[in-house]
């Protein structure tokens, strides 16, 4: 299949959408990003790369980091993770407080903000240097040693992170946060601030496409059972309250971030990443969603 031609066709078809989305301006540092950026990168398990646009420009991966957080926590804590975080789609915005209070401090899933904050708390409890070890983990997944946090983005998020602070305090009141509130928030903002390119994210997610086993180093990051559960959560919960729409239109497990990135996998076949900073009303990349819908339509590839 001529993947390169298909990516180039998609880039042309989504070009009119690049001016329609809204950059995540509630995070001051992200508001500075040029809206018409677009990159796409496909990486097959046999290491064939295909790319178009701004695929080698770094961007803040934001909530995509929650996949790495969950994978690392599951590797450390096994099934205990799911005692403190549920695995159901939320049906509500990613920063909703209402559902969290109704369900007595147990987040619906690990990919909404409250769930990722609990996962952050678990990593603090189980790692001697969570900030450094998490970065090392992401670098290892990517096969690099130069992935970094963006301190300006993290500080920008903390400046206006009132809802996240409210969530941590609420969950602390129910006993589902074990560590210092400020420590949890600071680390969570660091995790979300990681910068990667489409190329780098595709390399990291290729490990998930390979059922949790490294393609280059053959290291097993997750058991097949752990991978299966994380892939299921990506499919059902990876796109805020638009997960059903993504499954319906694209048909791949994946995760989005308000930095405009989307990373997805077809197990045993490929990882694919798209970046376009303009978001739709649900907080997902407008052009990115369409690009991946076009890709699975043109290639007739999905998990279904």
């Amino acid at each position: 299949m001529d993947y390169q031609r298909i990516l180039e066709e998609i880039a042309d078809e989504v070009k009119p959408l690049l001016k329609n989305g809204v950059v995540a301006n509630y995070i001051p540092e992200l508001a500075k990003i040029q809206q018409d950026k677009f990159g796409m990168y496909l990486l097959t398990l046999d290491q064939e790369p295909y790319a178009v646009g701004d695929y080698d420009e770094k961007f803040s991966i934001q909530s995509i980091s929650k996949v790495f957080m969950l994978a690392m926590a599951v590797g450390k804590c096994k099934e205990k993770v799911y005692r403190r975080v549920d695995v159901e789609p939320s049906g509500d915005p990613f920063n909703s407080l209402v559902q969290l209070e109704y369900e007595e401090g147990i987040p619906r899933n690990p990919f909404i903000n409250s769930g990722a904050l609990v996962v952050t708390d678990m990593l603090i409890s189980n790692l001697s240097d969570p900030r450094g070890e998490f970065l090392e983990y992401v670098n290892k997944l990517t096969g690099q040693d130069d992935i970094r946090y963006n301190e300006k983005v993290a500080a920008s998020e903390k400046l206006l992170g009132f809802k996240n602070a409210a969530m941590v305090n609420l969950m602390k009141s129910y006993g589902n946060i074990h560590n210092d509130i400020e420590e949890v928030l600071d680390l969570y903002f660091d995790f979300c601030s990681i910068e990667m390119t489409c190329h780098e994210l595709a390399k990291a997610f290729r490990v998930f496409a390979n059922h949790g086993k490294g393609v280059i180093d053959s290291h097993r990051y997750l058991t097949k059972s752990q991978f299966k559960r994380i892939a299921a959560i990506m499919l059902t919960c990876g796109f805020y309250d638009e997960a059903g729409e993504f499954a319906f239109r694209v048909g791949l497990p994946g995760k989005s971030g308000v930095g405009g990135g989307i990373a997805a996998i077809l197990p045993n076949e490929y990882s694919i990443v798209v970046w376009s900073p303009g978001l739709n009303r649900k907080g997902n990349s407008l052009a990115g969603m369409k690009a991946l819908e076009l890709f699975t339509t043109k290639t007739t590839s999905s998990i279904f």
Side-chain angles (χ1 to χ4, degrees):
M1 189 173 296
D2 191 348
Y3 284 128
Q4 187 59 42
R5 176 186 58 79
I6 290 170
L7 292 190
E8 290 169 2
E9 285 179 0
I10 291 169
D12 285 338
E13 289 182 51
V14 302
K15 193 173 291 184
L17 297 177
L18 300 183
K19 61 184 178 181
N20 293 340
V22 178
V23 175
N25 51 23
Y26 58 90
I27 300 174
E29 282 298 312
L30 296 188
K32 300 176 183 179
I33 305 301
Q34 192 175 323
Q35 183 172 326
D36 62 355
K37 293 286 185 179
F38 179 85
M40 201 167 183
Y41 199 97
L42 169 71
L43 190 58
T44 63
L45 287 193
D46 59 7
Q47 302 187 54
E48 287 295 325
Y50 306 90
V52 68
D54 304 303
Y55 65 88
D56 238 3
E57 184 171 335
K58 287 187 180 290
F59 61 93
S60 180
I61 69 171
Q62 291 294 306
S63 285
I64 298 173
S65 67
K66 294 171 183 174
V67 177
F68 305 140
M69 293 159 62
L70 178 60
M72 192 175 192
V74 166
K76 289 286 181 183
C77 307
K78 310 295 189 277
E79 297 302 306
K80 292 178 183 178
V81 171
Y82 302 118
R83 297 176 190 171
R84 293 175 58 191
V85 182
D86 209 340
V87 294
E88 295 292 337
S90 68
D92 285 325
F94 58 87
N95 58 356
S96 172
L97 283 160
V98 177
Q99 193 173 63
L100 187 61
E101 182 171 21
Y102 180 75
E103 295 176 348
E104 299 183 342
I106 302 295
R108 270 290 175 101
N109 65 71
F111 293 157
I112 54 176
N113 289 18
S114 55
L117 286 160
V118 171
V119 172
T120 301
D121 184 63
M122 292 182 201
L123 292 176
I124 292 172
S125 296
N126 287 276
L127 301 174
S128 57
D129 175 21
R131 190 177 190 275
E133 290 177 57
F134 181 73
L135 200 60
E136 183 181 354
Y137 182 80
V138 175
N139 272 293
K140 193 173 180 182
L141 284 172
T142 311
Q144 299 180 195
D145 61 6
D146 58 349
I147 306 298
R148 296 288 181 267
Y149 301 112
N150 184 319
E151 294 181 2
K152 288 185 177 180
V153 171
S156 180
E157 291 192 66
K158 185 176 182 180
L159 185 66
L160 298 173
F162 306 118
K163 270 202 170 182
N164 288 314
M167 288 176 200
V168 175
N169 278 279
L170 182 59
M171 291 188 292
K172 185 82 167 179
S173 75
Y174 285 109
N176 203 19
I177 293 292
H178 300 167
N179 294 284
D180 177 74
I181 286 171
E182 288 303 317
E183 185 180 6
V184 173
L185 285 168
D186 284 349
L187 190 59
Y188 171 74
F189 293 137
D190 281 341
F191 287 168
C192 290
S193 77
I194 283 179
E195 287 189 320
M196 298 175 76
T197 67
C198 293
H199 179 195
E200 291 165 343
L201 262 176
K203 287 195 292 182
F205 266 74
R206 187 172 55 172
V207 174
F208 300 105
N210 198 34
H211 293 264
K213 185 179 180 182
V215 177
I216 304 296
D217 61 8
S218 296
H219 176 74
R220 180 154 288 286
Y221 295 85
L222 298 165
T223 68
K224 289 184 178 180
S225 176
Q226 289 168 346
F227 157 76
K228 178 185 74 172
R229 299 189 188 325
I230 291 175
I233 298 170
M234 281 197 280
L235 182 68
T236 58
C237 308
F239 295 84
Y240 311 126
D241 49 331
E242 200 173 22
E245 187 78 7
F246 189 82
F248 178 74
R249 297 191 178 279
V250 179
L252 299 175
K255 184 72 191 82
S256 62
V258 296
I262 300 175
I265 59 170
L266 180 60
N268 298 319
E269 295 289 338
Y270 60 71
S271 60
I272 186 166
V273 176
V274 61
W275 172 52
S276 178
L279 307 179
N280 64 18
R281 291 183 178 181
K282 301 289 188 179
N284 296 309
S285 172
L286 180 67
M289 293 273 285
K290 185 62 178 180
L292 288 172
E293 179 186 354
L294 288 169
F295 179 81
T296 54
T297 300
K298 290 174 181 287
T299 60
T300 65
S301 63
S302 79
I303 64 169
F304 302 111

